[in-house]
Amino acid sequence: DGGITQSPKYLFRKEGQNVTLSCEQNLNHDAMYWYRQDPGQGLRLIYYSQIVNDFQKGDIAEGYSVSREKKESFPLTVTSAQKNPTAFYLCASSGAGRPQETQYFGPGTRLLVL
Amino acid sequence: SQKIEQNSEALNIQEGKTATLTCNYTNYSPAYLQWYRQDPGRGPVFLLLIRENEKEKRKERLKVTFDTTLKQSLFHITASQPADSATYLCALALYNFNKFYFGSGTKLNVKP
């Protein structure tokens, strides 16, 4: 089956700890995105990548980091600098084109702070 | 910056009626608008896309309209069913930009 997978489904972070959320896609999409969703709010863009080894900051990149070493993978690290990390994190991908069209979303990772 | 507004209040309708959801935007003119469905605890699922030069798009019981003068898109679900209950998000994409701007979504409750 083609699609996007995210793991883990739930993630707990201790104070001062960095945690990494996984995102993998087998849709052969060039572009990948990370969003954060808080209750009652829309999706806010953290980082996005149009091509391997390249990525750009979104609207709320502070306290987060990413890498894009492979086309299929776009992991997100929530660093200790992110003071309010509790949220639902969504990874998405889309095909080529400018502007790019349909985004396919993963099932999400819910991050909680202990 | 781009601002997208969707009615934050839940829309409650009776089964069989038509649900109409609104998406308003400010500032820039989007290349196209998209509508997504999101169920609790899950990622959004793409439903429909409408380009700026299109007035209306249909897919089965779904219809989207796009009024660039009013800066508004309407999303209709005809003959609504309880299974249509979910949060619906609109998103827009600008020309020459590679990212999307999402509204906060409107929750639809269809009662049997």
Side-chain angles (χ1 to χ4, degrees):
Chain A
D1 282 337
I4 301 179
T5 57
Q6 289 185 244
S7 61
K9 188 174 176 68
Y10 295 96
L11 185 58
F12 298 91
R13 193 190 90 164
K14 294 180 182 178
E15 201 73 36
Q17 186 182 40
N18 292 354
V19 293
T20 297
L21 285 62
S22 169
C23 178
E24 303 278 331
Q25 55 100 358
N26 62 3
L27 299 168
N28 199 33
H29 284 166
D30 290 309
M32 296 187 75
Y33 308 79
W34 273 106
Y35 294 91
R36 169 180 172 142
Q37 187 174 35
D38 294 281
Q41 296 193 34
L43 280 62
R44 291 187 289 167
L45 184 64
I46 305 173
Y47 269 99
Y48 63 106
S49 167
Q50 300 299 307
I51 196 169
V52 174
N53 293 323
D54 187 44
F55 47 83
Q56 287 80 41
K57 292 182 179 180
D59 302 314
I60 55 165
E62 186 175 348
Y64 301 97
S65 66
V66 293
S67 63
R68 186 87 188 273
E69 297 176 2
K70 297 187 300 181
K71 188 175 184 177
E72 304 78 26
S73 179
F74 191 40
L76 173 75
T77 297
V78 183
T79 74
S80 57
Q82 174 48 248
K83 297 306 178 189
N84 184 23
T86 298
F88 189 48
Y89 291 87
L90 288 159
C91 178
S93 71
S94 64
R98 183 182 288 266
Q100 287 153 344
E101 298 193 353
T102 307
Q103 287 195 311
Y104 295 84
F105 284 84
T109 292
R110 191 165 297 279
L111 177 60
L112 300 164
V113 177
L114 293 176
Chain B
S1 64
Q2 190 63 245
K3 188 174 180 182
I4 302 154
E5 293 181 337
Q6 293 185 257
N7 195 340
S8 58
E9 289 185 17
L11 177 62
N12 299 304
I13 64 168
Q14 207 64 37
E15 182 177 7
K17 299 293 186 185
T18 296
T20 299
L21 307 176
T22 304
C23 177
N24 296 300
Y25 60 93
T26 58
N27 298 338
Y28 301 105
S29 294
Y32 55 85
L33 268 163
Q34 301 173 322
W35 284 88
Y36 290 81
R37 169 183 173 140
Q38 186 175 26
D39 291 288
R42 302 192 133 187
V45 174
F46 171 77
L47 296 174
L48 278 171
L49 176 154
I50 186 164
R51 302 178 192 284
E52 66 156 350
N53 60 350
E54 297 174 321
K55 296 292 185 187
E56 182 179 298
K57 207 76 166 288
R58 290 175 186 262
K59 179 182 177 183
E60 299 173 350
R61 295 185 294 112
L62 309 180
K63 184 178 84 170
V64 174
T65 62
F66 195 2
D67 189 326
T68 54
T69 302
L70 292 178
K71 293 187 182 292
Q72 181 181 79
S73 175
L74 298 178
F75 177 76
H76 307 271
I77 304 176
T78 58
S80 59
Q81 305 165 359
D84 295 326
S85 298
T87 295
Y88 292 85
L89 304 167
C90 73
L92 63 85
L94 307 178
Y95 285 108
N96 297 321
F97 284 88
N98 292 316
K99 54 183 182 178
F100 300 82
Y101 297 90
F102 280 84
S104 57
T106 298
K107 187 173 182 183
L108 173 66
N109 296 312
V110 181
K111 304 188 176 184

